[in-house]
Amino acid sequence: MDSTALIVTVAGLGLAAFVLWYFFFSARQTASAVSTSGGVQEVAITVKGGYSPDVIEVERGKPVQLSFYRDEENSCSEELLMPDFSIRRDLPAFKTTLVELLPQQAGKFEFTCGMGMLRGSLVVK
Amino acid sequence: MEPATKTETLDIEGMTCASCASFVEKSLSRTPGVQRAMVNFATEKATVDYVPTQASPATLKEAVINAGYGVVERPPDISAAERSAEIDRQKALAYQKLKRRFGVAVGLALLIMPLSMLMLWPAMMQRVNMQWLNYGLLFLTLPVLLYSGREFYESAWNGFKHRAANMDTLIAVGTGAAFLYSLAATVVPGFFTSRGLMPEVYYDTTATIIALILLGKVLELRAKTQTSSAMRSLIGLQAKNARVVRPDGAEVDVPIEQVQLGDLVVVRPGEKVATDGLIMEGSSAVDEAMLTGESLPVQKQAGDPVFGATLNKTGSFRFRVTKVGTDTMLSQIVKLVEDAQGSRAPIQRLADKVSAIFVPTVVVIAILTFVIWFDLAPVGTRLPLALVNFVAVLIIACPCALGLATPTAIMVSTGKGAEHGVLVRNAEALEKAYQVNTVLLDKTGTITRGEPAVTDFWTLPDQPTSQLLQVVAAVERQSEHPLAEAVVRHAEAQGGASLSATGFRAVEGKGAAATVNGQAVLIGNRRLLADEGASLSPSLITQAEQLLSQAKTVLYIAVAGQAVGLIGVADTVRDTSAAAIKKLQALGIEVVMMTGDNPETAAQVAEQVGITRYFAEVLPADKAGKVKELQAEGRIVAMVGDGINDAPALAQADIGLAIGSGTDVAMEAAGITLMRSDLNGVVTAIELSRQTIRTIKQNLFFAFIYNTLGIPVAAGLLYPFFGILLSPMLAAGAMALSSVSVLTNSLRLRAFDNH
């Protein structure tokens, strides 16, 4: 193995390790819902190649209003799925779509795009 | 008549405390024409009832502003139809744009390909300046990348910022690597030649991959719009206008949004019923197939409910509006189907887990492929080989096929179910129905109609049978007893001139008496005739005993003090029950019946419809217990009931199917609601679930196999044994077809028909 191959090997393995860490183990952006005076927990989420924030904390038993603003035309994000709440919604591009739900149980509930590629989760406490 | 009021909801802004709310409320209440104003501080909304002739939304707004607060202008509430039209418009635009991008990519790729092949032709090569050719290819490829493929790079970058990787990441990294390598080979070829490498370019690969992936996307988008076509046509059923009768008797066409509860609406032959209501006058046959799947028109008369979106056939009628907007049957069906389409099937759990880690894993495999090829291949060719295989792995991997496998099938089949009057609550219900091997039927209201009907009409030989029936009907028409209704229905079905009765009197718990054609007529039980002194002939008694032994209720008829005939009344088996049960049995399902009747009656009904196993004398409270009993035998039980008194049994069963007598959708306990009141819906539901789950399994199998075979082949695993390498362009073709194949397979469910 010559020195170039050695460099490529080390760099490649390093890159692979970075990919694994970056996508699976690094810290995520978490946001807690803001309760309005009416007791509705509101969270604004921007959809652009992913959901930001992508971990949303809400309280159990209080209505939640998520407003998804889809800031792109990419077809990947055109649908929003929250299977645990039986929600499938089309998100029009550059518009805000409101999704209302009432979390009854504590737990972590995933939401994804139509193909399950973009992911976020609703953490109910 | 008091003037009709309108209700307006205003979004108030600027309220900082509860006392502000009461201030706004006062200000609104003082506005002329306002009958009631309520301001909710928490929701920041004001609800105002006002008389339209004296106040308007504008004057209400003024009142709020005068109080020192603001009104937020909301876009008007748009209906489901409009919302879906708006989304369709956007999708159509996106589709057009995608087609343009695809067109550009194909056009340029068709130029780039032959130009790249010049290199394979040595005689030509000598006349062409390689450097210039590469620059030419570079300029042809740039628009493909920057215009056609732009979305991939943007999406990959946006995803990367969110620590998310999607299909676009794979395409962007794959084509990006091929392009950057080629760019280097074009701009600084000396760097390559000095290391003994040919400065090869891969512009054709880059452009072709993008063109093929876009082709896949075009096909995919086209197929995807079809998955929700049933849903769209359901929403499209909504009537646009209603012909409302004004208090002065004038008939006015108004948009459906303005129709209010209590309005009187006229429907002429051939017109759509605008919304849900009760017929006040007139009668007609109404086609309800769009809601219930029932192909025969339903006869309707005064007092009968009608439903929005159904089609009036023959007569014209007026109905009083009882439901509008989202409360209507159609809206509830749409909501139910929408919910089902958003639910998750347990079968998809594995695919979900895999697709969550799919893309980063593939990126890691691609990097390892590059490293291994670079380390093992001969020095002279190691870089291009490593690159080509790296790109092929990234391009062939298709997480979309996995992601689309289940939801598309669920979408098509729930829509299809609604078309047939089978409403599936969620994907899990569909999956449960697929596993069912035993169907437990509640007799009353399920196998039978659940209401008494005349089965026998027997008279002494010397009596004018058909006239006697009309005489009896004349008496019964004035009674409110359910048995009397059955007699009247029977008489009307037989036809004949209807008579009128005078001096009607109901005898509590016994029957009724009246005078028809000057003769005293009695109809009721045996006690009634005994009390009134009418004697029974022996032949009548024998006949009555025979009917009683068949578990029928017997009504005795006496005219002018003489007992002259008998009517046998019983709950009758639906015409469709026997055939439907036979179909279920043909599907390999054991059909079991349960009833509160005595064993003799149960045996009789069971025999009539071809059921061999049944439970008799089951108390309503024990129904769920019987379901448990069957489950304890290791069976997967589907319980079919009318949804009202069967709720615990429906909930206990692995899957509950509620037969909505007519059109009641509000059935919480049932996983599946059958809009049509017959057992054929059960057959449809089970057949549909079987086809759907079969399709999902095929899709998942294909998606898993495709990826688990495709990725190693693309990585060059076959090279050491057979010398086979997968060109990244072929990989792109396979990838483009894989998700389309899954979609097409799901769309096959649209051909579902249980007849």
mmCIF file of all heavy atoms in Angstrom, chain A residues 23-41:
data_model
loop_
_atom_site.group_PDB
_atom_site.id
_atom_site.type_symbol
_atom_site.label_atom_id
_atom_site.label_comp_id
_atom_site.label_asym_id
_atom_site.label_seq_id
_atom_site.Cartn_x
_atom_site.Cartn_y
_atom_site.Cartn_z
ATOM 1 N N PHE A 23 -24.992 12.331 11.488
ATOM 2 C CA PHE A 23 -26.410 12.067 11.244
ATOM 3 C C PHE A 23 -27.090 11.318 12.387
ATOM 4 O O PHE A 23 -28.287 11.415 12.571
ATOM 5 C CB PHE A 23 -26.599 11.296 9.940
ATOM 6 C CG PHE A 23 -26.345 12.146 8.727
ATOM 7 C CD1 PHE A 23 -25.229 11.946 7.948
ATOM 8 C CD2 PHE A 23 -27.231 13.164 8.383
ATOM 9 C CE1 PHE A 23 -24.998 12.746 6.833
ATOM 10 C CE2 PHE A 23 -27.002 13.962 7.281
ATOM 11 C CZ PHE A 23 -25.885 13.753 6.503
ATOM 12 N N PHE A 24 -26.331 10.548 13.139
ATOM 13 C CA PHE A 24 -26.991 9.710 14.140
ATOM 14 C C PHE A 24 -26.747 10.138 15.585
ATOM 15 O O PHE A 24 -27.586 9.952 16.442
ATOM 16 C CB PHE A 24 -26.550 8.246 14.001
ATOM 17 C CG PHE A 24 -26.980 7.625 12.712
ATOM 18 C CD1 PHE A 24 -26.178 6.713 12.056
ATOM 19 C CD2 PHE A 24 -28.214 7.964 12.150
ATOM 20 C CE1 PHE A 24 -26.586 6.134 10.868
ATOM 21 C CE2 PHE A 24 -28.617 7.390 10.965
ATOM 22 C CZ PHE A 24 -27.806 6.472 10.313
ATOM 23 N N PHE A 25 -25.584 10.685 15.857
ATOM 24 C CA PHE A 25 -25.266 10.857 17.275
ATOM 25 C C PHE A 25 -25.108 12.291 17.737
ATOM 26 O O PHE A 25 -24.959 12.554 18.910
ATOM 27 C CB PHE A 25 -23.995 10.059 17.614
ATOM 28 C CG PHE A 25 -24.154 8.592 17.353
ATOM 29 C CD1 PHE A 25 -23.548 7.994 16.266
ATOM 30 C CD2 PHE A 25 -24.954 7.827 18.184
ATOM 31 C CE1 PHE A 25 -23.719 6.647 16.006
ATOM 32 C CE2 PHE A 25 -25.133 6.470 17.937
ATOM 33 C CZ PHE A 25 -24.519 5.882 16.840
ATOM 34 N N SER A 26 -25.077 13.229 16.810
ATOM 35 C CA SER A 26 -24.858 14.604 17.256
ATOM 36 C C SER A 26 -26.145 15.162 17.871
ATOM 37 O O SER A 26 -27.237 14.653 17.643
ATOM 38 C CB SER A 26 -24.421 15.459 16.077
ATOM 39 O OG SER A 26 -25.418 15.449 15.096
ATOM 40 N N ALA A 27 -25.994 16.234 18.628
ATOM 41 C CA ALA A 27 -27.136 16.810 19.345
ATOM 42 C C ALA A 27 -28.110 17.455 18.372
ATOM 43 O O ALA A 27 -27.711 18.003 17.353
ATOM 44 C CB ALA A 27 -26.632 17.841 20.343
ATOM 45 N N ARG A 28 -29.380 17.353 18.692
ATOM 46 C CA ARG A 28 -30.433 17.908 17.827
ATOM 47 C C ARG A 28 -30.961 19.204 18.399
ATOM 48 O O ARG A 28 -30.869 19.456 19.597
ATOM 49 C CB ARG A 28 -31.582 16.911 17.728
ATOM 50 C CG ARG A 28 -31.182 15.583 17.156
ATOM 51 C CD ARG A 28 -31.550 15.529 15.713
ATOM 52 N NE ARG A 28 -30.722 14.546 15.022
ATOM 53 C CZ ARG A 28 -30.815 14.332 13.735
ATOM 54 N NH1 ARG A 28 -31.666 15.011 13.006
ATOM 55 N NH2 ARG A 28 -30.050 13.447 13.152
ATOM 56 N N GLN A 29 -31.608 19.917 17.502
ATOM 57 C CA GLN A 29 -32.214 21.173 17.920
ATOM 58 C C GLN A 29 -33.583 20.871 18.558
ATOM 59 O O GLN A 29 -34.457 20.299 17.922
ATOM 60 C CB GLN A 29 -32.416 21.997 16.653
ATOM 61 C CG GLN A 29 -32.773 23.420 16.868
ATOM 62 C CD GLN A 29 -33.063 24.086 15.535
ATOM 63 O OE1 GLN A 29 -32.892 23.497 14.472
ATOM 64 N NE2 GLN A 29 -33.509 25.322 15.597
ATOM 65 N N THR A 30 -33.721 21.234 19.815
ATOM 66 C CA THR A 30 -34.977 20.942 20.504
ATOM 67 C C THR A 30 -35.708 22.245 20.804
ATOM 68 O O THR A 30 -35.083 23.245 21.105
ATOM 69 C CB THR A 30 -34.704 20.224 21.840
ATOM 70 O OG1 THR A 30 -33.909 19.084 21.569
ATOM 71 C CG2 THR A 30 -35.985 19.784 22.503
ATOM 72 N N ALA A 31 -37.013 22.204 20.681
ATOM 73 C CA ALA A 31 -37.785 23.389 21.032
ATOM 74 C C ALA A 31 -38.971 22.977 21.872
ATOM 75 O O ALA A 31 -39.595 21.955 21.624
ATOM 76 C CB ALA A 31 -38.254 24.098 19.773
ATOM 77 N N SER A 32 -39.262 23.778 22.872
ATOM 78 C CA SER A 32 -40.452 23.520 23.663
ATOM 79 C C SER A 32 -41.568 24.407 23.154
ATOM 80 O O SER A 32 -41.329 25.501 22.666
ATOM 81 C CB SER A 32 -40.186 23.830 25.131
ATOM 82 O OG SER A 32 -39.239 22.924 25.618
ATOM 83 N N ALA A 33 -42.782 23.897 23.288
ATOM 84 C CA ALA A 33 -43.932 24.649 22.824
ATOM 85 C C ALA A 33 -44.153 25.853 23.730
ATOM 86 O O ALA A 33 -43.871 25.830 24.911
ATOM 87 C CB ALA A 33 -45.157 23.767 22.838
ATOM 88 N N VAL A 34 -44.651 26.913 23.129
ATOM 89 C CA VAL A 34 -45.011 28.093 23.906
ATOM 90 C C VAL A 34 -46.515 28.042 24.126
ATOM 91 O O VAL A 34 -47.281 27.929 23.178
ATOM 92 C CB VAL A 34 -44.654 29.365 23.114
ATOM 93 C CG1 VAL A 34 -45.014 30.593 23.932
ATOM 94 C CG2 VAL A 34 -43.180 29.355 22.752
ATOM 95 N N SER A 35 -46.925 28.094 25.376
ATOM 96 C CA SER A 35 -48.362 28.062 25.642
ATOM 97 C C SER A 35 -48.934 29.461 25.549
ATOM 98 O O SER A 35 -48.377 30.402 26.077
ATOM 99 C CB SER A 35 -48.624 27.513 27.042
ATOM 100 O OG SER A 35 -48.461 26.126 27.020
ATOM 101 N N THR A 36 -50.025 29.587 24.847
ATOM 102 C CA THR A 36 -50.699 30.877 24.814
ATOM 103 C C THR A 36 -51.599 30.970 26.031
ATOM 104 O O THR A 36 -51.792 29.992 26.759
ATOM 105 C CB THR A 36 -51.583 31.009 23.563
ATOM 106 O OG1 THR A 36 -52.561 29.976 23.625
ATOM 107 C CG2 THR A 36 -50.793 30.890 22.301
ATOM 108 N N SER A 37 -52.164 32.138 26.213
ATOM 109 C CA SER A 37 -53.036 32.325 27.367
ATOM 110 C C SER A 37 -54.222 31.370 27.319
ATOM 111 O O SER A 37 -54.776 30.990 28.337
ATOM 112 C CB SER A 37 -53.528 33.768 27.392
ATOM 113 O OG SER A 37 -53.967 34.126 26.101
ATOM 114 N N GLY A 38 -54.588 30.949 26.113
ATOM 115 C CA GLY A 38 -55.735 30.052 25.987
ATOM 116 C C GLY A 38 -55.411 28.607 26.262
ATOM 117 O O GLY A 38 -56.272 27.740 26.155
ATOM 118 N N GLY A 39 -54.142 28.342 26.604
ATOM 119 C CA GLY A 39 -53.783 26.982 26.925
ATOM 120 C C GLY A 39 -53.421 26.148 25.708
ATOM 121 O O GLY A 39 -53.193 24.959 25.805
ATOM 122 N N VAL A 40 -53.348 26.793 24.544
ATOM 123 C CA VAL A 40 -52.948 26.064 23.345
ATOM 124 C C VAL A 40 -51.434 26.152 23.235
ATOM 125 O O VAL A 40 -50.853 27.219 23.397
ATOM 126 C CB VAL A 40 -53.591 26.679 22.086
ATOM 127 C CG1 VAL A 40 -53.150 25.925 20.844
ATOM 128 C CG2 VAL A 40 -55.095 26.658 22.211
ATOM 129 N N GLN A 41 -50.791 25.017 23.008
ATOM 130 C CA GLN A 41 -49.338 25.023 22.877
ATOM 131 C C GLN A 41 -48.986 25.233 21.415
ATOM 132 O O GLN A 41 -49.360 24.431 20.579
ATOM 133 C CB GLN A 41 -48.766 23.692 23.360
ATOM 134 C CG GLN A 41 -49.319 23.259 24.706
ATOM 135 C CD GLN A 41 -48.725 21.952 25.159
ATOM 136 O OE1 GLN A 41 -47.562 21.875 25.546
ATOM 137 N NE2 GLN A 41 -49.516 20.903 25.087
#
